[in-house]
Amino acid sequence: MKKNVLVISTSQRVKGNSDTLAQSFYQGAKASGHHVEMISLAHQTISFCKGCLVCQKSQPCVIQDDANVIVEKMQKADVIVFSTPIYFYEMSGQMKTLIDRTNPLFIKDYQFRDIYLLATAADEDESAIDGAIKGLEGWIACFEKCQLKGVIKGVGVDQYGEVNNHQELLEKAYQMGKEIV
Ligand SMILES: Cc1cc2nc3c(=O)[nH]c(=O)nc-3n(C[C@H](O)[C@H](O)[C@H](O)COP(=O)(O)O)c2cc1C
């Protein structure tokens, strides 16, 4: 079945390590005929959630910025893919800021079922990704109809574009996208 796949690249480094993994995933999903859209947060304005909870009274978010459109796209996607650099053994702040802005969906119905995480870190040990997985699982726990379907632990990549020296990671991301069902 053709799925609506939304790939959200959260690094500010366009064509950096996690963004490149996201591109590979995107290409793989495209090759399988899915409808795939990729968004980079690099040129988006996304403010912090104010915690006013107006959205929990079925009213639109009080903040008017680029997050509202992205959150609407997330609501309608079957599959959501987050790519992130690891910052201090957690997901990037920009990814967390976007996740917080999905609070309006908490009281709504949503389409997404399968969630993927593509993360890159300088550290060679795969445990470098654990904090980001844990953080994302916290979000998933609040949206019970979805599950964490796949994770790429892109460890040992630091400099800009270094992931291109790790074809095995790019291939893994491509295959993961291709194998979406
Ligand atoms: C603010 C900051 C914090 C970082 N913290 C970590 C860290 O805790 N552990 C780690 O292994 N790498 C850390 N890194 C390195 C990045 O995770 C790594 O370079 C990653 O591949 C960057 O991905 P990108 O090119 O997609 O932005 C940090 C980098 C920055 C800029």
Side-chain angles (χ1 to χ4, degrees):
M1 203 174 73
K2 301 295 170 222
K3 296 275 175 76
N4 279 323
V5 182
L6 181 64
V7 182
I8 305 174
S9 174
T10 72
S11 178
Q12 299 296 293
R13 291 209 293 194
V14 176
K15 296 192 177 167
N17 296 323
S18 57
D19 190 49
T20 303
L21 282 185
Q23 279 289 349
S24 295
F25 190 106
Y26 172 92
Q27 296 298 344
K30 271 260 181 207
S32 287
H34 298 295
H35 176 266
V36 199
E37 184 178 0
M38 183 160 160
I39 298 173
S40 167
L41 300 192
H43 304 296
Q44 311 265 1
T45 303
I46 300 176
S47 301
F48 298 129
C49 172
K50 292 179 184 294
C52 67
L53 298 178
V54 162
C55 64
Q56 301 304 293
K57 296 175 194 135
S58 296
Q59 285 172 40
C61 181
V62 296
I63 308 168
Q64 280 172 10
D65 63 11
D66 296 330
N68 303 318
V69 174
I70 299 172
V71 170
E72 214 177 297
K73 286 178 191 283
M74 289 173 75
Q75 184 183 12
K76 293 177 186 157
D78 300 304
V79 177
I80 300 175
V81 185
F82 294 100
S83 73
T84 185
I86 293 298
Y87 286 171
F88 298 102
Y89 295 97
E90 248 291 3
M91 67 179 72
S92 63
Q94 49 275 22
M95 176 169 159
K96 182 63 165 73
T97 302
L98 175 65
I99 278 183
D100 292 347
R101 292 291 301 282
T102 65
N103 206 34
L105 301 183
F106 188 65
I107 56 158
K108 292 184 182 165
D109 196 11
Y110 53 90
Q111 187 60 33
F112 52 86
R113 297 293 180 269
D114 293 338
I115 310 297
Y116 292 84
L117 177 68
L118 319 175
T120 58
D123 199 316
E124 305 266 340
D125 197 306
E126 289 198 342
S127 65
I129 314 296
D130 289 354
I133 296 172
K134 183 99 175 32
L136 186 58
E137 280 174 344
W139 181 73
I140 289 169
C142 299
F143 291 96
E144 291 172 352
K145 288 189 276 188
C146 73
Q147 57 173 331
L148 185 59
K149 199 72 194 282
V151 178
I152 294 210
K153 299 177 179 181
V155 292
V157 289
D158 195 15
Q159 298 308 308
Y160 180 77
E162 202 179 333
V163 76
N164 289 305
N165 302 330
H166 292 261
Q167 281 305 314
E168 75 288 356
L169 288 174
L170 301 180
E171 181 59 23
K172 209 169 167 185
Y174 181 87
Q175 284 303 330
M176 204 175 257
K178 201 168 175 200
E179 284 164 15
I180 289 174
V181 284

